[in-house]
Amino acid sequence: VIGEAGTGILDFYHGYALLLKAGAASRLQKLAHPFRVSLQHMTEATINVVRRAIAMESAYPGLRALVADFYRAVGGTGPIPIAPEETSNVARAWERIMASVTRSATEFGGSKEPRP
């Protein structure tokens, strides 16, 4: 997200966000910018990995709880962790994406069958 006061970077894959404040452009700022951004990434990534290690969380936050909920549902002692409507929505989205990929591949002379 880019704004007048700065830029926000959301790293959903690694689970953190950065805020880069805007400032007056100068040679020193231009020189320091990539190092400042890299330092912020390293700091947030380090905090993230330490937090996960302390919580004994896997590389996929929430996966352990989801699997436990799934087994409780299978055992009849808990609700289904993912609603059937959500599953249907994901399936429909996947079908639309694959249809789009197939159309695009065909338009550009590629195979009619997308790779799985």
Short mmCIF file of all heavy atoms in Angstrom, two decimals, residues 1-37:
data_model
loop_
_atom_site.label_atom_id
_atom_site.label_comp_id
_atom_site.label_asym_id
_atom_site.label_seq_id
_atom_site.Cartn_x
_atom_site.Cartn_y
_atom_site.Cartn_z
N VAL A 1 0.86 -1.16 0.00
CA VAL A 1 0.00 0.00 0.00
C VAL A 1 0.90 1.23 0.00
O VAL A 1 1.77 1.36 0.86
CB VAL A 1 -0.91 0.01 1.25
CG1 VAL A 1 -1.76 1.25 1.27
CG2 VAL A 1 -1.76 -1.23 1.32
N ILE A 2 0.69 2.12 -0.95
CA ILE A 2 1.51 3.31 -1.07
C ILE A 2 0.67 4.53 -0.74
O ILE A 2 -0.43 4.69 -1.28
CB ILE A 2 2.11 3.44 -2.49
CG1 ILE A 2 2.97 2.22 -2.79
CG2 ILE A 2 2.90 4.73 -2.63
CD1 ILE A 2 3.46 2.15 -4.21
N GLY A 3 1.15 5.38 0.14
CA GLY A 3 0.44 6.59 0.52
C GLY A 3 1.39 7.77 0.61
O GLY A 3 2.61 7.63 0.40
N GLU A 4 0.86 8.91 0.95
CA GLU A 4 1.68 10.11 1.06
C GLU A 4 2.65 10.05 2.23
O GLU A 4 3.75 10.60 2.16
CB GLU A 4 0.78 11.35 1.20
CG GLU A 4 0.02 11.67 -0.07
CD GLU A 4 -0.85 12.91 0.09
OE1 GLU A 4 -0.58 13.72 1.01
OE2 GLU A 4 -1.78 13.07 -0.71
N ALA A 5 2.26 9.41 3.32
CA ALA A 5 3.10 9.35 4.51
C ALA A 5 4.10 8.20 4.48
O ALA A 5 4.99 8.12 5.33
CB ALA A 5 2.23 9.24 5.76
N GLY A 6 3.95 7.30 3.52
CA GLY A 6 4.87 6.17 3.45
C GLY A 6 4.27 5.01 2.70
O GLY A 6 3.24 5.13 2.05
N THR A 7 4.92 3.87 2.82
CA THR A 7 4.50 2.66 2.14
C THR A 7 4.37 1.53 3.16
O THR A 7 5.25 1.36 4.01
CB THR A 7 5.53 2.26 1.07
OG1 THR A 7 5.64 3.31 0.13
CG2 THR A 7 5.13 0.97 0.35
N GLY A 8 3.28 0.80 3.08
CA GLY A 8 3.09 -0.37 3.93
C GLY A 8 3.28 -1.63 3.10
O GLY A 8 2.74 -1.74 2.00
N ILE A 9 4.09 -2.54 3.60
CA ILE A 9 4.35 -3.81 2.91
C ILE A 9 3.79 -4.92 3.79
O ILE A 9 4.21 -5.07 4.93
CB ILE A 9 5.86 -4.02 2.68
CG1 ILE A 9 6.42 -2.90 1.80
CG2 ILE A 9 6.11 -5.40 2.06
CD1 ILE A 9 7.93 -2.93 1.67
N LEU A 10 2.83 -5.66 3.25
CA LEU A 10 2.25 -6.79 3.97
C LEU A 10 2.82 -8.07 3.41
O LEU A 10 2.65 -8.36 2.23
CB LEU A 10 0.73 -6.78 3.82
CG LEU A 10 0.01 -5.53 4.30
CD1 LEU A 10 -1.47 -5.60 3.94
CD2 LEU A 10 0.21 -5.34 5.78
N ASP A 11 3.50 -8.82 4.24
CA ASP A 11 4.09 -10.09 3.82
C ASP A 11 3.24 -11.21 4.41
O ASP A 11 3.49 -11.69 5.51
CB ASP A 11 5.54 -10.19 4.29
CG ASP A 11 6.27 -11.37 3.70
OD1 ASP A 11 5.62 -12.39 3.39
OD2 ASP A 11 7.51 -11.28 3.54
N PHE A 12 2.18 -11.57 3.67
CA PHE A 12 1.28 -12.61 4.16
C PHE A 12 1.96 -13.97 4.23
O PHE A 12 1.63 -14.80 5.06
CB PHE A 12 0.04 -12.70 3.26
CG PHE A 12 -0.84 -11.49 3.35
CD1 PHE A 12 -1.00 -10.66 2.27
CD2 PHE A 12 -1.52 -11.20 4.52
CE1 PHE A 12 -1.83 -9.55 2.35
CE2 PHE A 12 -2.34 -10.09 4.62
CZ PHE A 12 -2.49 -9.26 3.53
N TYR A 13 2.90 -14.21 3.34
CA TYR A 13 3.58 -15.50 3.31
C TYR A 13 4.39 -15.72 4.58
O TYR A 13 4.37 -16.81 5.15
CB TYR A 13 4.48 -15.57 2.08
CG TYR A 13 5.16 -16.91 1.91
CD1 TYR A 13 4.44 -18.02 1.47
CD2 TYR A 13 6.50 -17.07 2.20
CE1 TYR A 13 5.04 -19.24 1.32
CE2 TYR A 13 7.11 -18.30 2.05
CZ TYR A 13 6.39 -19.38 1.61
OH TYR A 13 7.00 -20.60 1.48
N HIS A 14 5.10 -14.69 5.03
CA HIS A 14 5.94 -14.83 6.22
C HIS A 14 5.26 -14.32 7.49
O HIS A 14 5.77 -14.53 8.59
CB HIS A 14 7.27 -14.11 6.01
CG HIS A 14 8.11 -14.75 4.96
ND1 HIS A 14 8.28 -14.20 3.72
CD2 HIS A 14 8.80 -15.92 4.96
CE1 HIS A 14 9.05 -14.98 3.00
NE2 HIS A 14 9.37 -16.04 3.72
N GLY A 15 4.15 -13.63 7.34
CA GLY A 15 3.37 -13.23 8.50
C GLY A 15 3.82 -11.98 9.21
O GLY A 15 3.82 -11.93 10.44
N TYR A 16 4.22 -10.94 8.49
CA TYR A 16 4.56 -9.68 9.13
C TYR A 16 4.32 -8.52 8.17
O TYR A 16 4.06 -8.72 6.99
CB TYR A 16 5.99 -9.66 9.65
CG TYR A 16 7.08 -9.81 8.61
CD1 TYR A 16 7.55 -8.72 7.90
CD2 TYR A 16 7.63 -11.06 8.35
CE1 TYR A 16 8.55 -8.85 6.95
CE2 TYR A 16 8.63 -11.20 7.40
CZ TYR A 16 9.09 -10.10 6.71
OH TYR A 16 10.07 -10.25 5.77
N ALA A 17 4.37 -7.31 8.72
CA ALA A 17 4.16 -6.11 7.92
C ALA A 17 5.25 -5.09 8.24
O ALA A 17 5.79 -5.06 9.33
CB ALA A 17 2.80 -5.51 8.24
N LEU A 18 5.57 -4.28 7.26
CA LEU A 18 6.56 -3.21 7.42
C LEU A 18 5.91 -1.88 7.08
O LEU A 18 5.06 -1.81 6.21
CB LEU A 18 7.75 -3.40 6.47
CG LEU A 18 8.52 -4.70 6.54
CD1 LEU A 18 9.61 -4.71 5.47
CD2 LEU A 18 9.13 -4.89 7.91
N LEU A 19 6.35 -0.82 7.74
CA LEU A 19 5.92 0.52 7.40
C LEU A 19 7.17 1.33 7.07
O LEU A 19 8.06 1.49 7.91
CB LEU A 19 5.17 1.18 8.54
CG LEU A 19 4.72 2.62 8.29
CD1 LEU A 19 3.79 2.68 7.06
CD2 LEU A 19 4.04 3.20 9.50
N LEU A 20 7.25 1.78 5.83
CA LEU A 20 8.37 2.59 5.39
C LEU A 20 7.89 4.03 5.29
O LEU A 20 7.08 4.36 4.44
CB LEU A 20 8.87 2.11 4.02
CG LEU A 20 9.15 0.61 3.91
CD1 LEU A 20 9.48 0.24 2.47
CD2 LEU A 20 10.28 0.24 4.84
N LYS A 21 8.36 4.87 6.22
CA LYS A 21 7.91 6.25 6.27
C LYS A 21 8.55 7.06 5.15
O LYS A 21 9.73 6.90 4.84
CB LYS A 21 8.24 6.87 7.62
CG LYS A 21 7.47 6.23 8.75
CD LYS A 21 7.76 6.87 10.06
CE LYS A 21 6.98 6.18 11.16
NZ LYS A 21 7.29 6.74 12.46
N ALA A 22 7.74 7.92 4.55
CA ALA A 22 8.24 8.78 3.49
C ALA A 22 9.04 9.93 4.11
O ALA A 22 8.79 10.34 5.23
CB ALA A 22 7.08 9.35 2.67
N GLY A 23 10.00 10.40 3.38
CA GLY A 23 10.80 11.52 3.86
C GLY A 23 11.31 12.31 2.68
O GLY A 23 11.07 11.96 1.52
N ALA A 24 12.02 13.36 2.98
CA ALA A 24 12.61 14.18 1.92
C ALA A 24 13.67 13.36 1.19
O ALA A 24 14.46 12.66 1.81
CB ALA A 24 13.22 15.44 2.50
N ALA A 25 13.64 13.43 -0.13
CA ALA A 25 14.61 12.69 -0.93
C ALA A 25 15.97 13.36 -0.84
O ALA A 25 16.10 14.57 -0.98
CB ALA A 25 14.15 12.62 -2.38
N SER A 26 16.97 12.57 -0.57
CA SER A 26 18.34 13.07 -0.55
C SER A 26 19.24 11.95 -1.04
O SER A 26 18.83 10.79 -1.11
CB SER A 26 18.75 13.49 0.87
OG SER A 26 18.86 12.35 1.70
N ARG A 27 20.47 12.27 -1.35
CA ARG A 27 21.40 11.24 -1.80
C ARG A 27 21.62 10.21 -0.70
O ARG A 27 21.66 9.02 -0.97
CB ARG A 27 22.73 11.87 -2.21
CG ARG A 27 22.64 12.62 -3.50
CD ARG A 27 23.98 13.17 -3.88
NE ARG A 27 23.83 13.90 -5.15
CZ ARG A 27 24.74 14.68 -5.63
NH1 ARG A 27 25.88 14.86 -4.99
NH2 ARG A 27 24.54 15.29 -6.79
N LEU A 28 21.75 10.69 0.52
CA LEU A 28 21.98 9.77 1.64
C LEU A 28 20.78 8.84 1.84
O LEU A 28 20.94 7.65 2.04
CB LEU A 28 22.26 10.55 2.93
CG LEU A 28 22.52 9.70 4.17
CD1 LEU A 28 23.73 8.79 3.94
CD2 LEU A 28 22.73 10.58 5.38
N GLN A 29 19.58 9.40 1.74
CA GLN A 29 18.37 8.56 1.89
C GLN A 29 18.28 7.53 0.77
O GLN A 29 17.93 6.39 1.02
CB GLN A 29 17.11 9.43 1.92
CG GLN A 29 15.88 8.60 2.23
CD GLN A 29 14.62 9.44 2.30
OE1 GLN A 29 14.61 10.61 1.97
NE2 GLN A 29 13.54 8.82 2.73
N LYS A 30 18.57 7.94 -0.44
CA LYS A 30 18.54 7.01 -1.56
C LYS A 30 19.57 5.90 -1.37
O LYS A 30 19.32 4.74 -1.69
CB LYS A 30 18.80 7.74 -2.88
CG LYS A 30 17.63 8.56 -3.35
CD LYS A 30 17.94 9.22 -4.67
CE LYS A 30 16.77 10.03 -5.16
NZ LYS A 30 17.03 10.62 -6.47
N LEU A 31 20.72 6.25 -0.83
CA LEU A 31 21.78 5.26 -0.59
C LEU A 31 21.38 4.31 0.54
O LEU A 31 21.56 3.10 0.44
CB LEU A 31 23.09 5.98 -0.24
CG LEU A 31 24.27 5.08 0.09
CD1 LEU A 31 24.70 4.33 -1.16
CD2 LEU A 31 25.41 5.91 0.63
N ALA A 32 20.79 4.86 1.60
CA ALA A 32 20.47 4.07 2.79
C ALA A 32 19.19 3.25 2.65
O ALA A 32 19.01 2.25 3.35
CB ALA A 32 20.36 5.00 4.00
N HIS A 33 18.29 3.66 1.75
CA HIS A 33 16.96 3.03 1.65
C HIS A 33 17.00 1.51 1.53
O HIS A 33 16.34 0.82 2.32
CB HIS A 33 16.17 3.65 0.50
CG HIS A 33 14.82 3.04 0.33
ND1 HIS A 33 13.77 3.31 1.17
CD2 HIS A 33 14.37 2.14 -0.57
CE1 HIS A 33 12.72 2.61 0.79
NE2 HIS A 33 13.05 1.90 -0.27
N PRO A 34 17.73 0.93 0.58
CA PRO A 34 17.69 -0.54 0.48
C PRO A 34 18.22 -1.23 1.74
O PRO A 34 17.74 -2.30 2.11
CB PRO A 34 18.55 -0.86 -0.74
CG PRO A 34 19.22 0.39 -1.13
CD PRO A 34 18.54 1.53 -0.46
N PHE A 35 19.19 -0.61 2.41
CA PHE A 35 19.72 -1.21 3.63
C PHE A 35 18.73 -1.09 4.78
O PHE A 35 18.58 -2.03 5.58
CB PHE A 35 21.05 -0.53 4.00
CG PHE A 35 22.09 -0.71 2.94
CD1 PHE A 35 22.39 0.32 2.06
CD2 PHE A 35 22.76 -1.92 2.79
CE1 PHE A 35 23.33 0.15 1.06
CE2 PHE A 35 23.71 -2.09 1.80
CZ PHE A 35 24.00 -1.05 0.94
N ARG A 36 18.02 0.04 4.85
CA ARG A 36 17.00 0.23 5.90
C ARG A 36 15.86 -0.77 5.70
O ARG A 36 15.40 -1.40 6.67
CB ARG A 36 16.50 1.68 5.86
CG ARG A 36 15.64 2.04 7.04
CD ARG A 36 15.29 3.52 7.12
NE ARG A 36 14.64 4.00 5.91
CZ ARG A 36 15.18 4.88 5.06
NH1 ARG A 36 16.37 5.37 5.26
NH2 ARG A 36 14.50 5.26 3.99
N VAL A 37 15.42 -0.93 4.47
CA VAL A 37 14.33 -1.88 4.19
C VAL A 37 14.79 -3.31 4.51
O VAL A 37 14.06 -4.08 5.13
CB VAL A 37 13.87 -1.76 2.72
CG1 VAL A 37 12.89 -2.87 2.37
CG2 VAL A 37 13.24 -0.40 2.47
#
